[in-house]
């Protein structure tokens, strides 16, 4: 599994990711997240990624970085319904932990929930 920047080559696959019907109260749809992130387009602390397995988009990821604290927050992580219960969430967390961010040596990683 790898993190990929969202580009014109994969954005449609990201937008096509769907939640299961009973999950919409818990996780935001990638379309909403992409639209909301437009507000932060000039803020380099919000990072958006597709997570790909064998060049197929299986997840959407949004991170918030705090440079002074060397902290990364997982703002949104959304696994497409057809890819759930197959270990992709675990794989994604390992990839996030091992990926260099603009902070370099990140000290803390948080998952935002509400």
């Amino acid at each position: 599994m790898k993190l990929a920047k969202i580009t014109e080559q994969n954005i449609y696959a990201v937008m096509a990711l769907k939640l299961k019907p009973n999950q919409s109260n818990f996780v935001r749809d990638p379309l909403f997240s992409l639209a909301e992130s437009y507000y932060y387009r000039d803020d380099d602390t919000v990072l958006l990624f597709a997570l790909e397995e064998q060049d197929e988009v299986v997840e959407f990821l949004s991170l918030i970085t705090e440079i002074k604290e060397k902290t990364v927050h997982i703002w949104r992580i959304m696994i497409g319904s057809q890819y759930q219960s197959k270990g992709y969430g675990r794989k994604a967390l390992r990839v996030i932990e091992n990926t260099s961010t603009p902070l370099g040596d990140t000290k803390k990683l948080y998952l935002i929930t509400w």
Side-chain angles (χ1 to χ4, degrees), residues 33-100:
S33 296
L34 289 166
E36 185 179 46
S37 69
Y38 182 77
Y39 176 78
Y40 301 101
R41 67 191 175 282
D42 297 324
D43 183 349
D44 60 358
T45 63
V46 175
L47 309 171
L48 304 176
F49 297 99
L51 285 115
E52 298 178 346
E53 181 75 17
Q54 299 177 357
D55 296 323
E56 185 173 358
V57 173
V58 297
E59 300 179 49
F60 168 77
L61 174 67
S62 177
L63 302 175
I64 298 173
T65 60
E66 292 184 23
I67 295 167
K68 288 183 183 178
E69 293 81 13
K70 294 188 179 255
T71 301
V72 174
H73 300 268
I74 300 172
W75 185 18
R76 301 237 167 83
I77 186 167
M78 186 268 187
I79 302 168
S81 60
Q82 69 271 38
Y83 304 107
Q84 293 177 17
S85 301
K86 297 181 180 179
Y88 289 119
R90 251 186 316 278
K91 283 184 179 181
L93 290 176
R94 277 191 230 113
V95 169
I96 296 164
E97 286 175 333
N98 296 321
T99 299
S100 177

Side-chain angles (χ1 to χ4, degrees), residues 17-43:
L17 292 172
K18 300 295 179 207
L19 295 167
K20 292 180 181 177
N22 61 342
Q23 295 174 327
S24 61
N25 290 333
F26 305 106
V27 181
R28 288 288 189 177
D29 181 279
L31 283 173
F32 179 90
S33 296
L34 289 166
E36 185 179 46
S37 69
Y38 182 77
Y39 176 78
Y40 301 101
R41 67 191 175 282
D42 297 324
D43 183 349

